[in-house]
Amino acid sequence: MIVDDERLAIEDLSTIVDWNAYGFEIVATAFNGAQAFTKFMQLRPQLVITDIKMPIMDGIELIRRIREVDRQVPLLLLTAYADFSYARTAIQLGITDYIIKSEITAQSMAALLTKLRGSIEQQRQNRSILTGTMLEAFFAAPASPGPADAQTMLGKLYAFLILERDEPLPLDGGAAQSEGGMKQAELRQLLREHRYEELQFASSCALSHRRTLLVLKTPDNSTFHTYDLMRRNALRLQAALAERAAGATTLYLTMRPMNFYEFRRFLQNNPDVFERKYFLPEDALILLERIPPRSAPVPRLDRPAFEALLDAGDADGAEAFVRQLYAALTDCADLRALLSCSQELYFVLAHRAEALPEHTAWNTPDDRAQWRSAACIGRWLTEKTRALLAALADVRRSAYSRPVSDAIAYVRAHYSEPELSLNDVADSLHLSVGYLCMLFKQETGVTLKNHITDVRIEEAKRLLRTGHAKIYEICTAVGYPNSQYFSQVFYKKVGMYPAEYRRTGRDEA
């Protein structure tokens, strides 16, 4: 397609050589950029030659528009010496070459068309060789050198990017469930049409039902420049996927160009490379060659300790337990350990939830969206543990008589008062101390006096775990005027002194 606002210029260029002799046919002409872009989208010519200065839409804007939809079609810019500053802008936008109008001859045009014809044929040949089907077979056969006619292409250097559709881990013991998002065909079309910065789409293929490989041609620049380009392009692609609601996707990229054989060996020698995403921040771009080796030991789940915290209704203790466990799981980065511990904790909570009324929602299908990483699962388990303990406490309170429920509420509101006594609680309910204490022990199995102590010590444990207050300040905050007496009571209940508990964050086994 030839684009120029001067009809005579179009006629001269159309007749200066025998276009058919060089394998080209002029399928369209246009007199401004807007008209040209409409015809480009309709006809998709394999070569566009455009002037710069035109009405309605100039050649620079036309090039910009075309490059947004097609990064590979050759674009030639017609320029005069006076327009050379425009030509520099066009070069930055990705033109193939420029032609100085005053220097066009039949010989120079013939040489240029011959060169372009070879380039277009090479692109077509490359596309026909690096097909998705061929690449899928290549990666499925680890020892295969690939088809004879493709081995030269497979030996060239490319940048590789893997897109993996995220699926939640099966905490409930079922199969991992896909949550929609783009089909493979839709995703690969998006990858073909996406506008890459200084890189060109070469091919794509499915590595598995969840993983898609994107292959990009790289410029002849330094390794650092290629990595920087890959990172910028990966971020832009990540944004495009989010805009198209493609579903949660993890992107893995190579830091330097590789040939297909080297990249295939890398995947074969690092089979667990795709497990590390579960221990990295969400939406992270994962550098394939920089995934650190495992070093931390695999933690052991102390189930009896967790169940003891649940029995005590200690939401803060359970939260600290889960937080410490998942910090250790993240450090060791072992997917099997993450899945094993998470499933065990899930079933502990599920068993406890059986005591809730049927209408109480504990776990919903929407929760699965949060089972994507160690951090997300740890947060989800913490929230569910707190919600479950609160719901179970409501169930227990609903089983108590009104005086006992009111006594529990009064203690919760006044435990920080050093003067709090059994008489205070009984007077607030207009009951005798003897009757209230008898009723309380009968319904809860704990004396009212011990209940006050339990509430104070549980709050002290929470403050020791989560805050930076001094021990004497905590002592006062939970209703003990004497720190020595507080320490003695704490030791009797917990099995260690407050300072020791602050260091360990958990009760004596």
Side-chain angles (χ1 to χ4, degrees):
M1 180 169 68
I2 301 173
V3 189
D4 200 306
D5 61 332
E6 296 182 13
R7 187 179 299 275
L8 185 59
I10 291 178
E11 291 177 358
D12 287 346
L13 204 54
S14 300
T15 57
I16 195 169
V17 293
D18 181 357
W19 290 78
N20 290 332
Y22 295 97
F24 290 92
E25 176 186 356
I26 299 174
V27 296
T29 59
F31 300 106
N32 61 63
Q35 188 183 66
F37 186 69
T38 299
K39 292 185 177 183
F40 178 83
M41 295 302 291
Q42 292 171 345
L43 302 171
R44 288 298 177 118
Q46 293 181 299
L47 171 64
V48 177
I49 303 175
T50 180
D51 191 17
I52 293 179
K53 294 183 177 179
M54 296 179 292
I56 304 177
M57 181 191 291
D58 65 16
I60 300 298
E61 182 60 24
L62 172 62
I63 291 167
R64 194 190 317 275
R65 295 277 187 91
I66 290 175
R67 278 294 177 245
E68 287 177 354
V69 297
D70 192 324
R71 296 294 295 169
Q72 298 192 37
V73 63
L75 302 177
L76 298 183
L77 188 69
L78 293 171
T79 180
Y81 282 116
D83 299 332
F84 207 73
S85 61
Y86 294 100
R88 282 197 295 270
T89 301
I91 290 169
Q92 293 172 353
L93 292 172
I95 63 167
T96 307
D97 209 338
Y98 61 89
I99 310 170
I100 298 174
K101 288 182 178 181
S102 61
E103 297 181 358
I104 297 176
T105 64
Q107 291 77 14
S108 66
M109 200 66 192
L112 182 57
L113 292 178
T114 300
K115 175 184 172 183
L116 286 169
R117 181 66 184 175
S119 175
I120 292 170
E121 286 296 333
Q122 185 63 51
Q123 283 187 12
R124 182 184 294 124
Q125 183 181 6
N126 291 350
R127 284 196 297 270
S128 66
I129 291 175
L130 293 179
T131 63
T133 303
M134 187 280 287
L135 291 178
E136 286 164 15
F138 175 80
F139 283 103
S144 169
D149 62 347
Q151 289 174 19
T152 300
M153 295 297 299
L154 294 170
K156 291 184 176 181
L157 298 179
Y158 296 91
F160 296 93
L161 193 150
I162 296 174
L163 301 92
E164 181 176 35
R165 186 175 69 247
D166 295 338
E167 293 179 349
L169 291 173
L171 301 199
D172 53 4
Q177 297 184 9
S178 174
E179 298 192 354
M182 281 188 171
K183 305 292 185 187
Q184 273 274 0
E186 293 177 282
L187 177 58
R188 290 174 63 183
Q189 182 176 352
L190 181 149
L191 297 178
R192 271 194 307 274
E193 296 174 353
H194 181 71
R195 182 181 177 185
Y196 301 98
E197 179 186 348
E198 295 186 48
L199 301 173
Q200 289 187 358
F201 175 85
S203 189
S204 68
C205 72
L207 293 178
S208 70
H209 78 284
R210 292 170 52 195
R211 298 182 192 124
T212 302
L213 174 66
L214 169 62
V215 186
L216 296 169
K217 295 179 185 176
T218 64
D220 295 326
N221 290 314
S222 67
T223 298
F224 174 79
H225 183 64
T226 300
Y227 159 67
D228 194 44
L229 269 181
M230 279 294 293
R231 186 177 177 280
R232 293 204 304 270
N233 277 281
L235 288 169
R236 291 176 60 176
L237 183 57
Q238 198 173 50
L241 291 168
E243 187 177 332
R244 291 279 294 271
T249 305
T250 297
L251 272 62
Y252 305 82
L253 59 148
T254 53
M255 296 178 60
R256 59 181 178 80
M258 299 183 188
N259 63 42
F260 278 91
Y261 299 103
E262 184 182 5
F263 184 65
R264 185 174 65 179
R265 278 196 304 274
F266 175 84
L267 295 182
Q268 291 167 359
N269 295 334
N270 297 274
D272 61 349
V273 71
F274 299 108
E275 295 182 1
R276 299 305 177 89
K277 72 173 184 178
Y278 296 103
F279 307 97
L280 296 173
E282 296 173 60
D283 299 324
L285 296 178
I286 300 179
L287 307 179
L288 286 168
E289 300 101 312
R290 274 204 183 166
I291 296 178
R294 295 189 179 100
S295 56
V298 176
R300 181 182 65 87
L301 172 60
D302 189 348
R303 179 169 174 168
F306 184 65
E307 299 235 42
L309 292 168
L310 297 181
D311 289 339
D314 184 358
D316 294 323
E319 178 179 345
F321 180 96
V322 172
R323 189 168 57 246
Q324 290 171 8
L325 174 64
Y326 279 82
L329 286 168
T330 299
D331 288 341
C332 81
D334 187 299
L335 180 59
R336 284 164 291 280
L338 172 64
L339 186 57
S340 172
C341 289
S342 300
Q343 287 181 336
E344 190 164 359
L345 289 178
Y346 175 91
F347 285 111
V348 167
L349 297 178
H351 177 69
R352 300 280 176 137
E354 293 174 1
L356 297 176
E358 291 185 7
H359 66 274
T360 305
W362 174 73
N363 178 28
T364 67
D366 291 341
D367 288 333
R368 291 189 179 89
Q370 300 182 56
W371 301 348
R372 298 186 185 280
S373 68
C376 290
I377 293 170
R379 284 196 299 270
W380 182 84
L381 284 169
T382 296
E383 293 167 4
K384 289 299 178 182
T385 300
R386 279 193 172 278
L388 176 63
L389 289 176
L392 290 172
D394 288 342
V395 170
R396 286 194 298 271
R397 279 194 293 272
S398 66
Y400 297 151
S401 64
R402 177 65 179 272
V404 171
S405 296
D406 288 348
I408 291 172
Y410 187 88
V411 171
R412 172 53 60 183
H414 297 273
Y415 69 87
S416 62
E417 300 170 7
E419 310 83 24
L420 178 63
S421 67
L422 301 182
N423 281 325
D424 293 334
V425 181
D427 288 347
S428 73
L429 304 177
H430 307 291
L431 297 174
S432 69
V433 173
Y435 176 72
L436 176 60
C437 289
M438 180 272 296
L439 191 63
F440 197 95
K441 176 67 185 302
Q442 189 178 67
E443 293 188 16
T444 67
V446 179
T447 67
L448 180 55
K449 182 178 179 180
N450 280 342
H451 175 72
I452 294 172
T453 302
D454 290 341
V455 170
R456 284 171 165 170
I457 296 303
E458 287 302 321
E459 177 63 12
K461 286 162 62 178
R462 186 187 71 81
L463 293 172
L464 287 166
R465 280 194 307 268
T466 61
H468 300 286
K470 295 180 172 58
I471 290 176
Y472 74 83
E473 294 172 333
I474 293 174
C475 160
T476 302
V478 298
Y480 289 101
N482 183 296
S483 58
Q484 184 177 1
Y485 178 63
F486 164 68
S487 294
Q488 292 173 351
V489 174
F490 193 94
Y491 183 87
K492 184 177 179 181
K493 284 286 184 182
V494 181
M496 62 181 73
Y497 290 106
E500 187 180 358
Y501 182 85
R502 167 166 274 168
R503 289 193 300 270
T504 63
R506 60 189 300 178
D507 296 13
E508 182 76 6

